[in-house]
């Protein structure tokens, strides 16, 4: 049986704490735009937390973590444990609140932008990309 790291446990606890809480709106949680609380995205976050294996010194680039109407939910969860989170997405409204330790990169993630961001921020240790492949046009995918 896999031993759960302290960071993984803390992130999962924070995810459960925010689950269904209207103080932390997300598009799929039943409080904003309808959607079911037991959504695909929610279990994907649990699995992503396990696979990322982050700790307090980690710096995460979260690709596609934005929303046109809510704050970056998963990035805020990650920022509760890791050193810093960069959220890269064009769907970040100018008024989106920032959690401590978060920075927004309002641009598409492509070869050029990713190369530049990784060169400008060599401190990035992890990259997360949850549930975004379905948004890539078929001819590009």
């Amino acid at each position: 049986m896999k031993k759960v790291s302290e960071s993984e446990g803390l992130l999962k606890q924070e995810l459960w704490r925010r689950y269904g809480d209207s103080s932390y709106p997300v598009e799929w949680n039943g409080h904003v735009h309808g959607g079911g609380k037991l959504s695909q995205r929610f279990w994907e976050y649990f699995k992503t937390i396990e696979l990322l294996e982050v700790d307090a010194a980690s710096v995460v680039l979260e690709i596609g973590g934005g929303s046109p109407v809510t704050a970056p939910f998963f990035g805020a969860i990650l920022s509760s444990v890791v050193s810093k989170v960069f959220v890269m997405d064009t769907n970040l409204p100018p008024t989106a609140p920032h959690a401590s330790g978060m920075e927004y990169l309002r641009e598409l993630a492509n070869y050029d932008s990713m190369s530049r961001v990784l060169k400008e921020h060599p401190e990035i240790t992890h990259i997360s990309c949850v549930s975004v492949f379905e948004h890539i046009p078929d001819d590009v995918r």
Side-chain angles (χ1 to χ4, degrees), residues 93-120:
T95 58
H98 285 70
S100 177
M102 288 180 69
E103 185 174 324
Y104 296 163
L105 307 170
R106 288 179 175 86
E107 57 187 305
L108 290 174
N110 57 36
Y111 181 84
D112 293 333
S113 64
M114 293 287 298
S115 296
R116 181 183 42 72
V117 167
L118 293 172
K119 286 176 187 167
E120 290 174 359

Side-chain angles (χ1 to χ4, degrees), residues 40-60:
Q40 171 185 338
R41 183 77 48 89
F42 196 75
W43 71 259
E44 286 176 337
Y45 289 152
F46 270 96
K47 197 63 185 169
T48 301
I49 287 168
E50 291 175 358
L51 294 172
L52 276 175
E53 297 181 352
V54 295
D55 59 33
S58 300
V59 177
V60 180

Side-chain angles (χ1 to χ4, degrees), residues 9 14 17-18 40 43 54 61 78 90 94 101 118-119 131-132:
E14 185 63 15
R17 188 178 74 76
R18 295 183 186 205
Q40 171 185 338
W43 71 259
V54 295
L61 171 61
L78 291 172
T90 56
L118 293 172
K119 286 176 187 167
S131 200
V132 298

Side-chain angles (χ1 to χ4, degrees), residues 74-95:
F74 191 57
I77 299 271
L78 291 172
S79 73
S80 71
V81 169
V82 304
S83 175
K84 186 162 190 168
V85 177
F86 293 93
V87 178
M88 186 177 211
D89 197 322
T90 56
N91 282 319
L92 288 162
T95 58

Side-chain angles (χ1 to χ4, degrees), residues 14 17-27 29 31-32 70 73 76:
E14 185 63 15
R17 188 178 74 76
R18 295 183 186 205
Y19 171 74
D21 186 335
S22 59
S23 298
Y24 302 100
V26 289
E27 293 181 21
N29 75 351
H31 295 292
V32 180
T70 64
F73 182 80

